Amino acid sequence: MKSSDVILQTATKVVFFLIFLFAIHIFFAGHYTPGGGFVGGLLTASAIVLLLLAFDLKTVSRALPFNYTIMIAIGLLLALGTASASILFDVPFFTHAYDYFDLPLFGETSLHSAMLFDLGVYLVVVGATMNIILTIGSDD
Amino acid sequence: MTNLLLFPILIPILTASVLLFFPKRIAAQRAVTVVGLVASIIAALFLLRTVMTDGVQAVTLGSWPAPFGISMVSDPLSVSLVLTSLLITLGVVVYSFRSIGEGREKYFYYPAILFMLTGINGSFTTGDIFNLFVFFEVLLLASYLLIVLGGEKRQLRESIKYILVNVVSSAFFVTTVAMLYSVVGSLNMADIAEKVTEIGQSGILTVIAVMLILVFGLKGAIFPLYFWLPGSYAAPPVPVLALFGALLTKVGVYAIIRTVTLLFPHDPGFTHELLMILAILTVIAGCIGALAYYDLKQIVIYNIIIAVGVILFGVAQMNMAGLEGAVFYLIHDMLIKAGLFMLIGVIIAITGTSNLREMGGLMKTYPGLAWTWLVAAFGLAGIPPLSGFFGKLLIVQGAFEADNLWGGIIILASSLIVLLSVIRIFIHAFWGEPMPVKGTSAGIYRGLLIPAVLVTALTVFYGVGTEWLRPLMWDAAEILHQPSIYIDAVLKE
Amino acid sequence: MSVIIGFLFMAAVYLILSRSLLRVIIGTGLLSHGAHLLILTMGGFAGPAPPVVADGVTDYVDPLPQALILTAIVISFGVTAFFLVMAYRAYQELETDNMTLLKGNDEHD
């Protein structure tokens, strides 16, 4: 089914990036304020769904050639790996480390090992959601 | 090593994530799964030794102090259950090589098993009631995948009911946890136990205890709540059935044991009486089912229900003999059920049917299978010196000590019925006139029989080595009987 | 708040008992939402105060229930999504979403 709604398609091209940027903002905001990997992942997935609505499956999978199952696997490994790093230092599981860095553009930012964990969560959520939607959607 | 007790949980989930990368390469999938399981077993053995020498191990995730962070606790009971689950899973995985079929192997069969194992081991190890819920959901999600894998019509139909029952019971679990939190203001099981002792077990706490028994009873299939089990368990293929039958209900049983002994031991007149009545009814209902069917799978499935009843009856006595017997019987039952289901799988592979009326005379052609079945059947019924005997002896002794004569007699009578039901399979399938069978290749037969024989041999060792295992079981029961040991270990910092 | 929870539970029970599979799934969704709201009330619902403990903040609510709800929401999201996929597959294979037609046991498949 090739949809040809010009208004929807044009709007999507802009809105997709807005949603995606907002998802990234939410993701980084997650440490001290509401947000985080789960919400960010869901937002990203919804942006991709909007693309799917506006264009068709083939176009989208050409534009975003990810294998979502492998995305889940990477996310899981990243999250677990971060948590397991605490084993190497022989402190209880999930203990996180953090430090402050002077990054260009962002100014002084605190970087946490918890953020890597959140990145894993983000990947798992995007992967899982897209997997489910594609399972149902790819039949038509 | 602070984190040693997490290894049996972490290694399976890491292995599963690695497996997701190459779902289509079956040989690699098998190899990685076996390596992961063996590594977990080694970790669990180390953990067992540590727990035996140094007592209960506890770690709090994220270095938060104990009542606030999530505690993971490993006492003799949980570590032996973890080790048993790992051994059974290894057996089932080897068994699956020849029986599950390539289609399923390519569709995330092994990762699903490992995720389920993560959930099971996590539930056995966790010391936090909400974390218990999370691990329950992990294992349930993986079990949903396993039960529906393959997508036959019957599987789809039964799995919808299975999922629905479990989703509703999870919602009840959350509700109960919310109520518990509002009353005691804590989720750490050791902390809850301490607070309940302080404020006394008021009416609302008894209600919560009963709700918890119901929620876990739904997973563990006790009397009024077992109706979903026979239908759902019969739907998936035999290896999955063996895993479910051996492990999933036992997680519910473990959760009941933990809650009634640790959290709510103060009003045995109500909660334990209720548990005992339900357990006896469960045994009776299971016996009726086991005798009524002529279907191999259903007979053994109803035997799961009987076993659940027997274990909970032992727990409900709340004395050392009863608890020790329950622990003994719990582990015995996990092993023997896995063995029985695997043997059933062999019979079904040979005859091509699970209906007892359509088979017979296998004794002549497959003597090895027949003798293994006989040993497993005697073990299940508890004929000394096989594994079921000692657990049942202690449970009945506990019942007599607690003046529950009739309950003890019913438990004894139930073992006769158990014996009858499995020997009936033996008579119908192995004796009598040989029926024309579908047959199977020698390679598949060996590939299926060898893991089944190994698991059965494990149960024999478990029975013969009772004296050897006694200190471990004694410690496990001691902690159930004296929850203060557990509480002190968790809250020591 | 408790009225809303009661209403959610009521609607959930009604939907779960209905015949269409899709309604059953929506019912389970409502049931878990009811349970989540229950956690919020049970943790002592304290109005609009934030669940943040920092220097100088005196008015805050217990953050634990919110963490629990977040976890529970994630789980119920996953389960519901899986259930929907399952129901869709079942609808394709069995060509019905009527629960009464999904009965059956070994004898009559």
Side-chain angles (χ1 to χ4, degrees):
Chain A
M1 181 190 68
K2 175 95 181 162
S3 110
S4 51
D5 190 333
V6 179
I7 297 177
L8 183 63
Q9 288 187 352
T10 319
T12 305
K13 280 174 196 160
V14 182
V15 172
F16 171 75
F17 289 104
L18 284 181
I19 300 180
F20 189 64
L21 283 178
F22 186 60
I24 293 176
H25 165 73
I26 287 266
F27 169 69
F28 278 106
H31 203 73
Y32 290 119
T33 45
F38 180 69
V39 189
L42 276 186
L43 266 174
T44 313
S46 66
I48 301 176
V49 171
L50 185 63
L51 275 186
L52 278 172
L53 280 179
F55 304 95
D56 63 334
L57 195 65
K58 255 193 225 144
T59 327
V60 176
S61 48
R62 225 182 8 245
L64 304 165
F66 301 124
N67 179 336
Y68 292 107
T69 313
I70 289 185
M71 192 187 261
I72 298 181
I74 297 174
L76 265 179
L77 278 183
L78 200 57
L80 282 174
T82 316
S84 314
S86 53
I87 290 173
L88 295 181
F89 302 107
D90 203 31
V91 286
F93 197 60
F94 268 126
T95 306
H96 77 272
Y98 62 93
D99 207 348
Y100 291 89
F101 292 97
D102 243 336
L103 289 181
L105 282 168
F106 291 101
E108 196 186 66
T109 330
S110 60
L111 280 185
H112 297 246
S113 64
M115 208 191 75
L116 275 177
F117 179 80
D118 236 20
L119 184 63
V121 173
Y122 176 87
L123 288 176
V124 172
V125 170
V126 175
T129 319
M130 289 317 296
N131 245 334
I132 288 164
I133 288 169
L134 289 183
T135 317
I136 298 184
S138 59
D139 280 357
D140 308 319
Chain B
M1 288 289 279
T2 338
N3 292 301
L4 180 62
L5 75 163
L6 292 172
F7 278 28
I9 306 169
L10 278 178
I11 297 173
I13 197 171
L14 277 175
T15 321
S17 331
V18 172
L19 284 179
L20 287 179
F21 282 108
F22 41 89
K24 305 293 176 218
R25 291 168 52 190
I26 296 176
Q29 291 260 319
R30 290 174 175 176
V32 173
T33 311
V34 170
V35 169
L37 282 172
V38 170
S40 328
I41 289 173
I42 294 170
L45 283 173
F46 269 111
L47 179 59
L48 181 67
R49 212 188 58 192
T50 321
V51 171
M52 283 305 284
T53 47
D54 303 345
V56 181
Q57 300 287 308
V59 63
T60 318
L61 301 188
S63 301
W64 298 92
F68 305 112
I70 296 171
S71 297
M72 303 296 268
V73 190
S74 217
D75 68 342
L77 175 61
S78 41
V79 68
S80 40
L81 287 174
V82 164
L83 184 59
T84 322
S85 331
L86 286 168
L87 287 172
I88 289 171
T89 314
L90 183 62
V92 171
V93 164
V94 175
Y95 185 84
S96 314
F97 290 169
R98 291 303 182 111
S99 60
I100 193 76
E102 284 200 1
R104 289 192 172 90
E105 281 182 300
K106 280 185 184 158
Y107 238 83
F108 307 113
Y109 173 70
Y110 296 114
I113 285 187
L114 289 171
F115 279 126
M116 192 168 92
L117 193 63
T118 312
I120 290 168
N121 285 348
S123 317
F124 286 148
T125 314
T126 186
D128 181 285
I129 199 150
F130 194 77
N131 198 233
L132 181 66
F133 165 72
V134 174
F135 276 120
F136 259 41
E137 290 303 316
V138 171
L139 81 89
L140 284 174
L141 260 176
S143 76
Y144 300 156
L145 184 61
L146 281 175
I147 202 173
V148 80
L149 205 62
E152 293 161 25
K153 281 188 181 179
R154 175 154 174 227
Q155 279 182 304
L156 282 169
R157 197 184 59 211
E158 294 301 333
S159 53
I160 285 179
K161 298 168 201 167
Y162 176 75
I163 297 179
L164 185 58
V165 165
N166 278 304
V167 168
V168 173
S169 90
S170 302
F172 270 113
F173 195 0
V174 177
T175 315
T176 318
V177 169
M179 287 163 70
L180 187 61
Y181 184 71
S182 76
V183 178
V184 293
S186 175
L187 291 167
N188 187 307
M189 291 208 259
D191 198 33
I192 296 174
E194 207 172 45
K195 284 187 175 143
V196 171
T197 319
E198 255 169 49
I199 58 179
Q201 191 166 341
S202 54
I204 180 78
L205 278 169
T206 310
V207 171
I208 292 172
V210 173
M211 277 183 77
L212 279 177
I213 290 179
L214 287 183
V215 167
F216 297 142
L218 201 68
K219 319 242 169 213
I222 61 173
F223 165 63
L225 309 165
Y226 71 87
F227 298 102
W228 57 273
L229 186 130
S232 313
Y233 276 24
V238 174
V240 178
L241 171 63
L243 269 185
F244 280 20
L247 303 179
L248 282 197
T249 48
K250 304 305 181 294
V251 179
V253 172
Y254 166 80
I256 291 184
I257 294 178
R258 218 8 124 221
T259 37
V260 296
T261 57
L262 181 63
L263 304 186
F264 305 107
H266 307 293
D267 189 9
F270 187 79
T271 46
H272 291 72
E273 193 82 19
L274 178 76
L275 191 62
M276 190 173 78
I277 294 168
L278 287 179
I280 291 176
L281 287 174
T282 313
V283 170
I284 294 173
C287 285
I288 295 172
L291 288 183
Y293 276 93
Y294 265 92
D295 183 285
L296 282 175
K297 284 185 181 174
Q298 295 290 348
I299 293 176
V300 185
I301 287 173
Y302 274 102
N303 269 306
I304 302 177
I305 296 173
I306 301 178
V308 168
V310 172
I311 298 165
L312 289 180
F313 180 79
V315 176
Q317 305 312 318
M318 275 312 267
N319 51 28
M320 272 309 279
L323 286 171
E324 199 189 348
V327 176
F328 248 111
Y329 203 78
L330 181 58
I331 293 173
H332 144 76
D333 194 63
M334 288 167 81
L335 289 170
I336 199 93
K337 284 286 147 51
L340 281 177
F341 280 120
M342 287 171 161
L343 289 168
I344 281 185
V346 184
I347 298 178
I348 292 176
I350 291 170
T351 59
T353 172
S354 65
N355 191 335
L356 269 183
R357 292 199 185 90
E358 292 170 16
M359 54 182 75
L362 292 178
M363 187 77 173
K364 290 203 184 81
T365 34
Y366 298 99
L369 176 64
W371 289 114
T372 321
W373 177 267
L374 197 65
V375 169
F378 282 169
L380 180 69
I383 289 176
L386 297 172
S387 52
F389 169 70
F390 199 67
K392 219 167 238 178
L393 174 76
L394 282 172
I395 289 178
V396 173
Q397 187 192 336
F400 287 166
E401 277 171 19
D403 285 332
N404 291 317
L405 280 182
W406 279 107
I409 291 169
I410 289 177
I411 298 295
L412 283 178
S414 80
S415 20
L416 283 180
I417 293 183
V418 168
L419 185 64
L420 177 61
S421 71
V422 279
I423 287 302
R424 219 168 48 131
I425 296 181
F426 185 75
I427 292 173
H428 278 277
F430 294 105
W431 284 354
E433 286 300 302
M435 294 269 199
V437 292
K438 197 179 71 161
T440 178
S441 76
I444 292 183
Y445 175 66
R446 269 202 305 277
L448 293 180
L449 191 61
I450 289 171
V453 169
L454 286 180
V455 172
T456 315
L458 209 58
T459 68
V460 175
F461 285 128
Y462 183 74
V464 176
T466 301
E467 200 55 48
W468 223 45
L469 293 165
R470 191 85 200 271
L472 177 67
M473 301 298 161
W474 180 264
D475 284 356
E478 174 100 52
I479 286 172
L480 293 179
H481 198 230
Q482 300 279 339
S484 55
I485 306 175
Y486 184 96
I487 297 170
D488 290 345
V490 179
L491 299 176
K492 61 181 181 285
E493 283 105 338
Chain C
M1 196 71 161
S2 40
V3 175
I4 300 174
I5 296 167
F7 183 77
L8 279 175
F9 270 90
M10 183 194 77
V13 170
Y14 173 72
L15 283 172
I16 287 177
L17 292 179
S18 69
R19 231 182 282 161
S20 154
L21 189 52
L22 195 60
R23 284 174 182 229
V24 172
I25 299 176
I26 295 173
T28 59
L30 286 186
L31 190 62
S32 51
H33 288 319
H36 301 157
L37 280 182
L38 187 74
I39 301 182
L40 198 61
T41 24
M42 285 298 173
F45 186 59
V52 177
V53 188
D55 294 335
V57 177
T58 49
D59 187 24
Y60 59 90
V61 295
D62 186 355
L64 195 62
Q66 313 211 351
L68 301 188
I69 293 169
L70 185 62
T71 319
I73 287 176
V74 174
I75 290 171
S76 77
F77 161 76
V79 172
T80 313
F82 185 83
F83 204 175
L84 277 170
V85 174
M86 269 270 331
Y88 181 68
R89 290 282 307 145
Y91 175 68
Q92 281 182 323
E93 286 283 321
L94 306 165
E95 288 160 0
T96 178
D97 70 336
N98 189 332
M99 289 302 270
T100 48
L101 297 178
L102 291 176
K103 289 194 287 200
N105 52 35
D106 317 321
E107 277 74 34
H108 43 96
D109 240 331

